[in-house]
Amino acid sequence: MIKKGLFWLAALGWAWNAQAAPQDFAKYFEIDLDAPLPTLEELNRKYVKPNVLYDKRYDYGWNIGNVFDDVFKLTISTYGSREKRMPDANEEALLNLLNSIPKSMYEYIGPYLHSVPGISEKILNMPGIKETKNRFPSRIAPQLADIEDLEFLSPSLYFVLMPEVWPQKMEMLEIPKIYKTTPKVAHDPKFYEELRKIVPPEKFMPGAEKVEKITRSDFRTMHPDKYSPLTSADIKAFINTLDEVDAFAKRDNNRLDLYNIGLLLDMYEKEHGTGLMINEVKDMVNPCQRLAQKLKIAGPLKENEFTSIVGKQGFTLKEWAYTCDKTIKAFRVSNVSMSTLQSILAYKHGIYNQSVTAFNEAVSGAQFATMQSVVEMYRAPMRDVLEVRKNRKELREKFIKMDNMLVSSPVESLD
């Protein structure tokens, strides 16, 4: 089992050095905890709109004025023109999406598109979509076929009628072939005799006398940074903070507040050219450093409360964030499955490049960035992984107890 795990880790290291995507997004996942950040008041003032259902654009009914508002004038003058109601970027994204799915799915999507105001004629006149107007799907899942008056179902729910979305219909298209492998090196009795002399099995059997040795793994790292190696003592100290960190998340709406701050931070980074189209993937790659940023934005009260929690184990907020992210990434690598490893290898060797670049730049960029986020989630040096293996059981128990959520970010692996 250990050899198998180490083989996967070696293959993962090979994946990192393989061919990258046409556009490298690695720089977007780097976090500078010393960089200045806006205050929560500044973000709210800039990005949070007033909580009103409709802006009348006047204060009182007796003071409306006698000139059309410019925005209202533009709205009523262009409302009848369908082509102007959908921005070009959204139109192209929807066209690319429709072109990427099987034509057999059109009869479940087309009727709904024809019922949505503002969809451009270019989309509604697509071959396959045009013919679905006011038509009920021809193929119905057998689980729903006997429901009375099913034809009155809203077009927005036609997708549930598709037989393929029901588990009973899902089938594996290809059964993998199993190949028997034989060892390339023949069994050599002399080799194992020499090995027994060097490493006597008696010393490793149950009940054998343990020789306690103090190693580097037993010491804490002084002032850990983003690149300092982990030790088992560092990981144990991090584990000891998790109960109080989880209690902090569940207290005083802290989880919801920090989640909302994350949304504002995403908007801020996109405006300043440091954000991705799906910027939330940063929270998967470095959940703890992102949490430290959110705490700084939240203000001194929450930041000091959290710092006092991790400070009981000798961490500053920055040191805890670095130790936490390195531990989580190494934990993911130590549990990586063969399917995830194969996906990472396929991405790094450019197997997906041709199919993804068929979309426009915005869609393909989002696809590549999201795939690279998975690579970054599993980027951990072997030394850190070996230290985490010593504490893997305790980490797994803590993460399960926390519902795999570190305050407002998921921390578990995809496996």
Side-chain angles (χ1 to χ4, degrees), residues 73-332:
K73 179 181 179 181
L74 179 64
T75 300
I76 62 172
S77 63
T78 59
Y79 185 77
S81 176
R82 299 179 71 92
E83 292 291 341
K84 294 183 180 179
R85 281 186 257 153
M86 173 175 283
D88 293 342
N90 293 343
E91 180 183 86
E92 290 301 319
L94 187 52
L95 282 170
N96 280 314
L97 181 60
L98 291 171
N99 286 324
S100 67
I101 62 177
K103 299 294 188 291
S104 60
M105 296 177 63
Y106 281 6
E107 62 177 331
Y108 304 96
I109 300 172
Y112 172 67
L113 293 177
H114 282 285
S115 69
V116 177
I119 300 293
S120 73
E121 298 294 340
K122 185 176 181 180
I123 293 174
L124 297 181
N125 288 325
M126 281 183 61
I129 296 293
K130 181 178 180 180
E131 294 78 9
T132 61
K133 185 176 182 180
N134 298 326
R135 285 185 57 184
F136 193 73
S138 59
R139 296 186 307 118
I140 308 297
Q143 293 86 347
L144 305 176
D146 297 330
I147 296 179
E148 188 177 356
D149 297 329
L150 189 62
E151 64 271 17
F152 296 107
L153 182 70
S154 169
S156 63
L157 296 176
Y158 280 0
F159 69 93
V160 301
L161 304 176
M162 193 187 314
E164 287 76 14
V165 303
W166 290 82
Q168 295 84 345
K169 186 68 176 179
M170 294 181 182
E171 300 175 354
M172 183 178 290
L173 299 180
E174 295 182 6
I175 300 176
K177 295 181 180 180
I178 300 176
Y179 298 95
K180 293 183 179 180
T181 57
T182 56
K184 296 181 179 180
V185 180
H187 179 73
D188 185 358
K190 293 184 179 179
F191 170 77
Y192 287 99
E193 288 178 8
E194 293 297 323
L195 188 62
R196 287 177 63 90
K197 294 177 183 178
I198 300 173
V199 187
E202 296 79 14
K203 291 187 177 181
F204 300 92
M205 291 181 177
E209 182 180 354
K210 293 184 178 179
V211 180
E212 297 292 341
K213 293 183 180 180
I214 299 177
T215 64
R216 176 187 168 281
S217 182
D218 300 307
F219 291 94
R220 292 282 299 276
T221 301
M222 294 294 293
H223 308 300
D225 57 30
K226 192 180 297 187
Y227 306 105
S228 59
L230 275 177
T231 68
S232 181
D234 294 333
I235 298 167
K236 291 182 186 299
F238 163 68
I239 292 173
N240 291 336
T241 67
L242 290 180
D243 285 336
E244 289 195 64
V245 167
D246 191 43
F248 168 84
K250 298 174 180 176
R251 188 167 56 244
D252 301 330
N253 289 324
N254 285 337
R255 174 169 289 164
L256 179 60
D257 292 342
L258 291 169
Y259 175 78
N260 290 332
I261 289 173
L263 298 178
L264 296 174
L265 180 59
D266 290 339
M267 296 179 190
Y268 174 81
E269 290 184 337
K270 287 180 182 178
E271 182 179 348
H272 289 79
T274 58
L276 299 165
M277 181 176 290
I278 307 175
N279 209 46
E280 293 80 1
V281 293
K282 290 184 179 181
D283 289 20
M284 288 291 295
V285 175
N286 292 302
C288 313
Q289 294 178 63
R290 294 290 284 178
L291 175 59
Q293 287 184 309
K294 298 172 190 176
L295 287 166
K296 288 184 178 181
I297 294 174
L301 191 62
K302 288 192 188 297
E303 182 182 358
N304 292 340
E305 182 183 358
F306 192 90
T307 302
S308 66
I309 292 172
V310 300
K312 295 177 183 179
Q313 296 296 325
F315 290 113
T316 65
L317 177 59
K318 188 191 301 186
E319 291 170 353
W320 178 87
Y322 290 145
T323 303
C324 172
D325 279 339
K326 288 185 289 186
T327 300
I328 288 174
K329 289 179 182 179
F331 178 78
R332 290 168 177 163

Side-chain angles (χ1 to χ4, degrees), residues 55-73:
D55 185 3
K56 302 187 298 292
R57 310 188 76 82
Y58 61 86
D59 295 326
Y60 303 102
W62 60 83
N63 188 26
I64 294 178
N66 55 9
V67 179
F68 262 137
D69 179 89
D70 290 338
V71 176
F72 182 62
K73 179 181 179 181

Side-chain angles (χ1 to χ4, degrees), residues 33-72:
L33 291 183
D34 295 319
L37 292 169
T39 64
L40 182 56
E41 291 76 13
E42 291 172 342
L43 291 175
N44 281 327
R45 190 164 52 249
K46 190 165 189 179
Y47 299 112
V48 178
K49 297 180 180 179
N51 187 21
V52 293
L53 295 176
Y54 176 71
D55 185 3
K56 302 187 298 292
R57 310 188 76 82
Y58 61 86
D59 295 326
Y60 303 102
W62 60 83
N63 188 26
I64 294 178
N66 55 9
V67 179
F68 262 137
D69 179 89
D70 290 338
V71 176
F72 182 62

